[in-house]
């Protein structure tokens, strides 16, 4: 069985891979940041609704493609394989699979949250000053909706890597993420919190820090996927 991962080990791996491949990695990150900035400029500068819609759509698709490319580069480098900037734009089928898998996972998460959140919020709307019992029920429903969202968000968190790594159906990619994350929900939650704090720190440093923290967290996330994938391949119980 593959060894259990540690949060510290994942980020140490991310730092080492970023340091070893800094030339390629920083160029890729700068391109991604440039695409994101161009998207923001387009939103602010174009006032014609149709033109803005077309430009924003093109910018969104470009950002999604580059995002998929960052993961593709990270996967290759994490496995010790050679990579180049050409990998930053994956084949159309890969980008489409990546996009559809993310949309499917997001839709499942949102729909699963709607019922408990709707009940909880609906109670407060229907009864602005509910009695204690009713207010408690509303709070429980809202909390349940949030917890369901966090839980399913974690279970489907590896969809973005699996969609790049595996030539599988969308349902197969969703099942892969569910299988790999089984038993590691709260540890992945902790990892996600640390990654978010690290990138927030990078953003605070005049956004320049993001050029360093983003690849570290991407490599760490990819490493998490590879460890859980190896564990699943070597542990029959985890593969079911």
């Amino acid at each position: 069985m593959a060894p259990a991962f540690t949060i510290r080990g994942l980020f140490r791996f991310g730092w080492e891979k970023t340091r070893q491949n800094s030339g390629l990695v920083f160029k890729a990150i700068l391109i991604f940041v440039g695409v994101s900035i161009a998207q923001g400029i387009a939103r602010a500068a174009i006032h014609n609704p149709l033109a803005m819609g077309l430009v924003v759509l093109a910018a969104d698709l470009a950002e999604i493609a580059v995002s998929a490319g960052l993961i593709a580069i990270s996967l290759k480098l994490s496995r010790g394989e050679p990579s180049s900037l050409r990998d930053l734009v994956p084949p159309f089928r890969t980008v489409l699979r990546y996009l559809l898998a993310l949309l499917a996972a997001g839709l499942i998460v949102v729909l699963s949250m709607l019922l408990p959140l709707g009940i909880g919020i609906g109670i407060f709307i229907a009864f602005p000053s509910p009695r204690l019992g009713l207010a408690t029920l509303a709070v429980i429903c809202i909390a349940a909706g949030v917890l369901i969202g966090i839980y399913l968000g974690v279970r489907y968190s590896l969809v973005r890597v699996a969609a790049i790594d595996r030539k599988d159906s969308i349902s197969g990619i969703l099942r892969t993420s569910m299988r790999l994350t089984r038993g590691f929900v709260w540890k992945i939650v902790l990892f996600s919190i640390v990654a978010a704090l690290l990138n927030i720190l990078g953003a605070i440093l005049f956004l320049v820090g993001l050029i360093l923290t983003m690849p570290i967290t991407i490599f760490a996330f990819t490493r998490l996927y590879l460890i859980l994938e190896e564990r699943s391949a070597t542990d029959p119980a985890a593969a079911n």
Side-chain angles (χ1 to χ4, degrees):
M1 183 190 303
F5 65 89
T6 64
I7 306 299
R8 182 178 179 182
L10 293 176
F11 286 103
R12 184 187 297 119
F13 178 88
W15 161 250
E16 289 298 327
K17 283 296 179 180
T18 299
R19 183 179 61 81
Q20 293 166 6
N21 304 278
S22 57
L24 170 60
V25 167
F26 291 153
K27 288 177 184 177
I29 291 295
L30 285 173
I31 291 173
F32 176 78
V33 172
V35 170
S36 299
I37 292 174
Q39 182 193 61
I41 293 174
R43 290 179 184 274
I46 301 176
H47 302 292
N48 181 281
L50 178 59
M52 184 178 70
L54 292 174
V55 171
V56 168
L57 177 61
D60 285 342
L61 292 176
E63 187 173 10
I64 290 168
V66 174
S67 174
L70 287 174
I71 295 176
I73 290 174
S74 178
L75 271 169
K76 283 190 172 183
L77 295 178
S78 296
R79 285 177 167 146
E81 301 171 359
S83 183
S84 69
L85 273 180
R86 285 179 293 183
D87 296 318
L88 192 59
V89 183
F92 174 76
R93 286 187 178 182
T94 301
V95 176
L96 181 61
R97 183 171 61 244
Y98 175 81
L99 174 60
L100 292 178
L102 290 181
L103 289 175
L107 185 61
I108 292 172
V109 173
V110 170
L111 290 179
S112 300
M113 296 172 63
L114 279 181
L115 180 59
L117 284 178
I119 292 174
I121 295 173
I123 289 174
F124 282 119
I125 292 176
F127 305 96
S129 300
R131 294 182 178 180
L132 180 60
L134 201 56
T136 302
L137 175 61
V139 170
I140 291 174
C141 289
I142 292 173
V146 172
L147 289 176
I148 289 171
I150 293 173
Y151 175 78
L152 290 179
V154 170
R155 296 304 302 273
Y156 288 122
S157 61
L158 296 182
V159 159
R160 62 182 62 245
V161 186
I164 303 300
D165 190 45
R166 306 170 70 92
K167 295 180 180 179
D168 205 348
S169 65
I170 302 303
S171 60
I173 291 169
L174 295 176
R175 287 195 300 270
T176 294
S177 183
M178 290 289 283
R179 172 170 52 81
L180 296 183
T181 56
R182 185 183 299 124
F184 294 97
V185 171
W186 294 114
K187 200 166 185 180
I188 296 175
V189 169
L190 178 59
F191 166 80
S192 301
I193 292 172
V194 175
L197 291 175
L198 184 62
N199 283 322
I200 289 172
L201 178 61
I204 291 174
L205 299 175
F206 304 103
L207 297 179
V208 177
L210 281 174
I211 298 175
L212 178 61
T213 61
M214 280 181 63
I216 290 175
T217 54
I218 292 172
F219 276 121
F221 187 64
T222 305
R223 177 62 175 166
L224 171 65
Y225 168 83
L226 293 175
I227 288 175
L228 295 181
E229 182 190 44
E230 181 185 354
R231 174 183 178 274
S232 176
T234 56
D235 181 8
N240 295 325

